[in-house]
Amino acid sequence: MRKKSLFVLGIMLLTLESSGSIYIEFLDGAGMKGNYAALADKPSGDEKQDKGAVKTFVQRFYEGWEDIQDYAYLKKHVTPKLLQFLADSYDFDCEGECLATWMFFYEGGGDAGELKSRKITVCDSNHVLVESKYENYEYGVLLTVVKDGSDYKIDSLQQKKSEYINAN
């Protein structure tokens, strides 16, 4: 009976190990004699690579987007869900297609002044914080990035920071 139990436990461990998603950590390195301490997510090894790819995608998105009313460019990089959100968030008089594209940069529809700096920080493999500093304002926008086939797309955005700073 003990051999059969060890065999089944060994197969379970092998299955868990090969799945790459979870692993069992034994107390004091006791292996099969000890009780397991925790089931935890096993690092896949690709998270660092995913974070790098997501950061590159967001950097290229902002660098390549020269006119915030270039809707054709925008549509290649965002999901239909986000397009609908941007259309619903546009609250000015408008004829034709109008999107609240300024939300990628700053809050509100007014002019924030000249861009002084932009910092892109990857929070995890799906979330990127984009902090932009303008003449007298600092803004932070949290983007949610999803994989669409082999491409990345921005699925949602949320204003995280909106702060007036003294120019002196």
Side-chain angles (χ1 to χ4, degrees):
M1 179 70 172
R2 181 174 166 93
K3 285 184 180 182
K4 184 176 182 181
S5 296
L6 289 176
F7 176 74
V8 171
L9 183 57
I11 295 298
M12 287 174 48
L13 289 173
L14 183 60
T15 302
L16 290 173
E17 181 65 30
S18 65
S19 72
S21 60
I22 59 175
Y23 68 99
I24 299 176
E25 180 182 306
F26 289 94
L27 293 173
D28 301 323
M32 290 189 205
K33 291 189 235 172
N35 296 323
Y36 62 87
L39 289 175
D41 288 334
K42 180 179 180 182
S44 66
D46 293 336
E47 187 172 332
K48 186 174 184 179
Q49 182 178 355
D50 291 344
K51 285 182 177 183
V54 168
K55 183 173 185 173
T56 299
F57 165 75
V58 171
Q59 285 173 326
R60 288 182 180 160
F61 170 73
Y62 276 91
E63 290 169 1
W65 197 14
E66 295 177 9
D67 180 2
I68 65 171
Q69 293 185 357
D70 184 353
Y71 299 152
Y73 180 83
L74 178 70
K75 289 176 182 179
K76 292 177 189 175
H77 296 89
V78 303
T79 64
K81 174 183 134 187
L82 182 54
L83 279 175
Q84 186 61 52
F85 172 77
L86 294 171
D88 293 344
S89 297
Y90 195 96
D91 55 3
F92 300 99
D93 289 336
C94 174
E95 291 184 27
E97 184 176 41
C98 298
L99 303 170
T101 54
W102 62 81
M103 295 178 80
F104 283 97
F105 305 95
Y106 50 85
E107 131 184 303
D111 185 15
E114 183 181 337
L115 177 67
K116 299 294 183 183
S117 66
R118 177 165 293 126
K119 179 180 175 186
I120 297 174
T121 305
V122 178
C123 303
D124 60 41
S125 58
N126 293 93
H127 297 93
V128 178
L129 180 63
V130 179
E131 297 171 289
S132 301
K133 184 175 181 179
Y134 294 88
E135 290 173 352
N136 294 322
Y137 292 92
E138 289 182 1
Y139 297 103
V141 178
L142 183 66
L143 304 177
T144 301
V145 179
V146 297
K147 195 113 184 203
D148 182 24
S150 61
D151 298 324
Y152 289 101
K153 292 202 173 192
I154 301 169
D155 189 49
S156 67
L157 58 84
Q158 179 182 16
Q159 299 293 324
K160 295 305 262 182
K161 180 179 183 181
S162 176
E163 189 175 304
Y164 176 77
I165 53 175
N166 191 346
N168 296 330

